[in-house]
Amino acid sequence: MNLTLVKLERYSGEKASIYTLYDNVEEKTLFETFIEENKSLFLSELKDINNRLIAIGTKTGAREVFFKINEGNPGDGVCALYDNPDSNLRLYCIRYGTALVVLGGGGNKPKNIRALQENPKLKKENYILREVSKTITERLKNKDIWFVNNFKDLEGELDFNTDENE
């Protein structure tokens, strides 16, 4: 996938910045795709996620309690945002402290699924973020990406090709 990291001004605020990945082929963000795929069955949960994102950006920052952590590889920051532990939706993201969140995609997590590997859609969305997180970490080390604005924003090489490492 050919992706570009973009800031979602609608959700970003004084406490945290919210980013997502723009799919340059589909010409929409992974977050927009997540919304489109789930709005007919889970509109109320999407509204909860929307309100949670606004609160993270403007009031609370990205507190750990809003996320199911350790959804990726150790130390990669991949987690799942949720408003209610009993919710059907799983939205994967990368959390950088309390000041920056990168939203990916996700999907419906049926109750009979214990691990994301049992659901091909969730596995695909999770592994995209694992790859992006790995690339961001490498680019931070190489100073190709850097934090600005009190760690709320990223600048530098913000384009990713997740296919090149497969």
Side-chain angles (χ1 to χ4, degrees), residues 33 85 139:
T33 300
R139 290 180 184 177

Side-chain angles (χ1 to χ4, degrees), residues 6-34:
V6 295
K7 187 173 180 178
L8 295 175
E9 296 293 343
R10 174 176 189 226
Y11 298 110
S12 301
E14 187 176 310
K15 296 292 184 176
S17 293
I18 310 295
Y19 282 76
T20 191
L21 293 154
Y22 180 82
D23 184 328
N24 293 296
V25 175
E26 296 293 324
E27 297 185 342
K28 59 185 165 184
T29 69
L30 298 185
F31 184 57
E32 287 171 322
T33 300
F34 171 78

Side-chain angles (χ1 to χ4, degrees), residues 88-99:
N88 294 295
L89 295 180
R90 179 72 44 99
L91 174 61
Y92 291 110
C93 49
I94 307 167
R95 181 176 162 263
Y96 293 97
T98 60

Side-chain angles (χ1 to χ4, degrees), residues 51 94 99 101:
N51 291 338
I94 307 167
V101 176

